[in-house]
Amino acid sequence: MTDDIRSERSQLMASLAQQIKRLAAAADTCVFTVHAPNNPDNPPILTETYDREKLSSGQGLPVRLDFHGIGVWYICYRDGDTFTARHILLKILDGQIVHQETGTFEGFWEDWPRYTSESRWLHSSVIETRPSHPSQVKVA
């Protein structure tokens, strides 16, 4: 890998981390999970939860992009009995992003914990993953 590619990858990762932090700064809560790369049906191998106080502090959300697997940030904005959540999914294998996805979801606040723990969309999304770059296609 050339130095130019390393530099571009580093800049991309820094930009992604900055945007995730920006979105989380105004959130009421944020949950970060990491799933095994080939088995999203199992429970996450890591779960971190952050409240409004931590998210709005000067340090903000600590964004890690050094994992191997499927990382998901659930960024939640509460409005009374309802919420709007943004999810950001990155599948990182050997330091390379091989799949990414974002989306939003709205629901009742009482269902928020179930949304982050069940993640039905996660399972179907990752199972249906196609390579995002031609160089990631394996030829027999």
Side-chain angles (χ1 to χ4, degrees):
M1 181 182 324
T2 68
D3 288 339
D4 288 342
I5 292 173
R6 281 190 193 102
S7 176
E8 287 179 22
R9 183 176 294 159
S10 177
Q11 290 173 0
L12 172 64
M13 294 294 210
S15 178
L16 282 169
Q18 182 180 31
Q19 291 304 314
I20 293 168
K21 284 182 121 170
R22 183 187 63 77
L23 290 168
D28 292 295
T29 187
C30 181
V31 176
F32 172 61
T33 61
V34 176
H35 299 262
N38 297 318
N39 199 351
D41 289 328
N42 285 340
I45 54 177
L46 173 71
T47 301
E48 298 173 347
T49 303
Y50 302 93
D51 62 11
R52 177 186 279 274
E53 184 178 323
K54 172 70 175 176
L55 296 172
S56 62
S57 72
Q59 187 180 31
L61 178 70
V63 177
R64 295 180 44 220
L65 297 173
D66 60 351
F67 58 86
H68 180 85
I70 304 160
V72 184
W73 290 265
Y74 300 92
I75 302 171
C76 178
Y77 309 91
R78 184 176 181 182
D79 185 16
D81 292 338
T82 62
F83 72 89
T84 300
R86 175 177 292 253
H87 66 259
I88 301 167
L89 177 148
L90 294 176
K91 184 172 183 180
I92 299 177
L93 302 176
D94 299 322
Q96 290 188 312
I97 298 172
V98 297
H99 181 76
Q100 66 280 332
E101 182 176 318
T102 63
T104 58
F105 178 80
E106 295 179 343
F108 291 102
W109 182 247
E110 65 191 34
D111 296 330
W112 167 246
R114 191 172 68 223
Y115 173 68
T116 62
S117 64
E118 288 182 359
S119 302
R120 291 183 188 135
W121 67 270
L122 168 70
H123 308 296
S124 63
S125 171
V126 174
I127 290 170
E128 297 296 322
T129 297
R130 290 185 278 286
S132 58
H133 188 273
S135 67
Q136 296 166 344
V137 176
K138 303 262 189 224
V139 179

